[in-house]
Amino acid sequence: TGQEKQSEKDAVLDTPPDILLTNYVMLELMLTRPEERKQLIGRAKGLRFLVLDELHTYRGRQGADVALLVRRVREACESPGLQCVGTSATMSTKGTPAARRREVADVASTLFDTEISPDRVVGETLVRATGDATPTRAELAARVQENNPPLEYDALKADPLARWVETAFGLTETTDEDGTRLLVRAKPTTVELAARDLRKDAFDIPRDAPEDEQHSACVKAIRSTLRAGTQVRDADDRALFAFRLHQFLSKGGSAYVSLEPADSRHITRTYQQRVPGEPEKLLLPLSFCRECGQEYLTVAREQSDDGTVAFRTREDADDEQGYLYLSATNPWPERVTDAIDQRRFPDSWLTLDPKKGTPVLTASRKKRAPQPVWVRPDGTAVNKDGGGLYAAYVPA
């Protein structure tokens, strides 16, 4: 895939494998590099199988590139009978199962340059985990009111509310073009919407009726049954239900804080440059590390002619941009050697001192290392005894 060492590549060339896992970019390179084409592609004459995963991603120009690559591989390997296989979970979702198979077959035929009939498209076959019996209204009402799902696999499998939950969240019936009845995955829904359906089935209350005690009871019963379905296990250690929960969060705006200790600082989501009523206190936007979530104050650093250093809100045109790291519980060490001893730097930033044999920062990383600073609420940097808040300045 392009990440291997040369010795690993040479080992593959010396002993060509029966199965090679790669990606289309590297496969293209194998066809163009003389040594690899000779030793690897050249020994793959009569190649039997070519498998492309995530087939739905090959669309537009990329799809055309890969389609031509498939033809070149077939020619380079002198394999007119090459068996092409494509896998995907999301190729087509509209129409009847037969219509979806035809659409997938058309795409695959174009991509692989070989005629693929709809009967060669293999879909999934679903079966109910809880059986086919339809729960009665009385059974559902009793289960909702008691809300005590069984915590043993076979008992929950036969539970009327578990059967209802599987139908509501997991499976639905459809009819194919030839009249065959099939089970397919149900469209995703929410617990709140499903509770309205359960209230109607259990208590004969219209779906559009206002929320009431029965609705709240249905919500609780559904949640407890779903939870129980993930806890009980069969002899093969499989759960009765294997559902996914999705939560969608829109992007939030920036948060602004003052240059004060975390337990007493001013926090707001409204864009401002100064604390309301306290213009001597600067407000700075927060940024968050994508790896660990650690917060940083986004700043620009400027130095006046008299040597005074100050931090302020960053602007695009600022020459020296960076971040302030503040933490009362885990402050940045004042000395670089202490930071190294505490393993606060990535290993890639370190090298060994040729004289002492101890780890030190590489020359290219020294200017990127956090620099201890003491800052006042107005952003002015002072010396250690100047009454400022301790922080570490990280150059961007």
Side-chain angles (χ1 to χ4, degrees):
T1 59
Q3 310 301 317
E4 296 76 19
K5 298 178 181 178
Q6 188 58 44
S7 59
E8 295 174 312
K9 296 180 180 180
D10 292 340
V12 173
L13 294 178
D14 293 339
T15 309
D18 294 322
I19 299 174
L20 181 65
L21 179 66
T22 185
N23 56 53
Y24 67 89
V25 175
M26 293 306 300
L27 183 55
E28 174 98 27
L29 291 174
M30 291 177 208
L31 292 175
T32 58
R33 292 171 175 168
E35 191 67 20
E36 292 179 13
R37 176 155 184 147
K38 176 183 177 182
Q39 294 198 53
L40 201 58
I41 303 298
R43 297 185 194 178
K45 290 184 179 180
L47 182 67
R48 296 177 60 196
F49 299 102
L50 178 66
V51 182
L52 294 182
D53 192 16
E54 303 291 357
L55 205 64
H56 61 276
T57 62
Y58 300 120
R59 61 184 66 184
R61 194 194 73 177
Q62 178 177 293
D65 288 344
V66 174
L68 292 174
L69 179 61
V70 170
R71 292 153 174 77
R72 291 169 58 202
V73 170
R74 181 183 287 116
E75 180 181 358
C77 294
E78 300 177 17
S79 180
L82 179 65
Q83 178 80 50
C84 294
V85 180
T87 63
S88 172
T90 54
M91 282 292 289
S92 177
T93 58
K94 295 182 180 181
T96 64
R100 293 198 291 268
R101 286 194 295 271
R102 287 195 297 270
E103 183 176 349
V104 173
D106 289 341
V107 173
S109 297
T110 301
L111 185 65
F112 293 132
D113 191 30
T114 186
E115 187 63 31
I116 297 177
S117 57
D119 64 323
R120 293 290 183 176
V121 178
V122 181
E124 63 181 358
T125 300
L126 303 175
V127 295
R128 290 189 179 277
T130 60
D132 297 324
T134 302
T136 66
R137 175 168 294 166
E139 289 176 328
L140 291 176
R143 271 288 285 108
V144 169
Q145 292 168 343
E146 295 170 3
N147 192 18
N148 56 345
L151 297 180
E152 193 272 329
Y153 187 89
D154 289 334
L156 187 61
K157 181 178 179 180
D159 179 65
L161 185 54
R163 293 199 298 269
W164 188 95
V165 165
E166 183 178 27
T167 300
F169 290 90
L171 301 173
T172 187
E173 281 194 356
T174 188
T175 303
D176 212 347
E177 293 175 351
D178 60 0
T180 304
R181 299 188 67 80
L182 302 170
L183 283 175
V184 296
R185 294 178 185 268
K187 292 183 179 180
T189 187
T190 68
V191 171
E192 292 290 336
L193 291 177
R196 292 183 175 275
D197 292 328
L198 179 57
R199 184 178 60 169
K200 181 178 184 300
D201 293 343
F203 303 107
D204 197 24
I205 299 176
R207 292 188 76 259
D208 57 355
E211 294 184 4
D212 53 15
E213 292 183 2
Q214 283 85 358
H215 176 83
S216 299
C218 288
V219 169
K220 295 178 181 178
I222 289 173
R223 287 176 174 166
S224 61
T225 302
L226 285 171
R227 190 178 298 113
T230 66
Q231 296 172 345
V232 299
R233 303 281 169 167
D234 64 6
D236 296 322
D237 197 36
R238 291 184 301 185
L240 182 66
F241 295 149
F243 64 88
R244 292 181 178 178
L245 295 177
H246 295 269
Q247 184 177 35
F248 299 94
L249 303 176
S250 61
K251 179 182 178 182
S254 296
Y256 302 86
V257 300
S258 60
L259 269 169
E260 297 176 286
D263 58 355
S264 60
R265 66 188 179 185
H266 182 84
I267 304 175
T268 180
R269 291 182 57 192
T270 304
Y271 172 71
Q272 299 168 82
Q273 294 192 359
R274 302 284 172 173
V275 175
E278 299 180 274
E280 72 281 2
K281 294 183 179 180
L282 191 65
L283 278 176
L284 296 168
L286 289 178
S287 294
F288 297 89
C289 175
R290 296 189 182 189
E291 294 291 334
C292 67
Q294 175 63 47
E295 63 186 50
Y296 295 85
L297 280 67
T298 306
V299 298
R301 181 183 183 274
E302 58 182 13
Q303 184 169 350
S304 59
D305 295 337
D306 62 3
T308 302
V309 174
F311 299 95
R312 56 171 175 78
T313 301
R314 182 196 297 183
E315 298 178 359
D316 292 340
D318 288 324
D319 294 330
E320 191 170 348
Q321 302 180 359
Y323 306 90
L324 286 178
Y325 167 78
L326 295 89
S327 175
T329 58
N330 194 24
W332 187 264
E334 293 184 34
R335 299 192 307 172
V336 173
T337 53
D338 292 337
I340 293 176
D341 292 340
Q342 295 177 23
R343 302 185 66 84
R344 301 289 286 268
F345 291 106
D347 290 340
S348 60
W349 285 40
L350 304 176
T351 187
L352 287 179
D353 186 319
K355 295 182 179 180
K356 298 181 179 180
T358 56
V360 295
L361 286 174
T362 62
S364 62
R365 296 297 187 180
K366 285 183 179 179
K367 60 182 180 180
R368 298 285 304 280
Q371 306 162 12
V373 294
W374 287 263
V375 290
R376 291 176 177 168
D378 63 357
T380 304
V382 296
N383 59 36
K384 186 174 182 178
D385 300 323
L389 182 67
Y390 177 66
Y393 173 67
V394 186

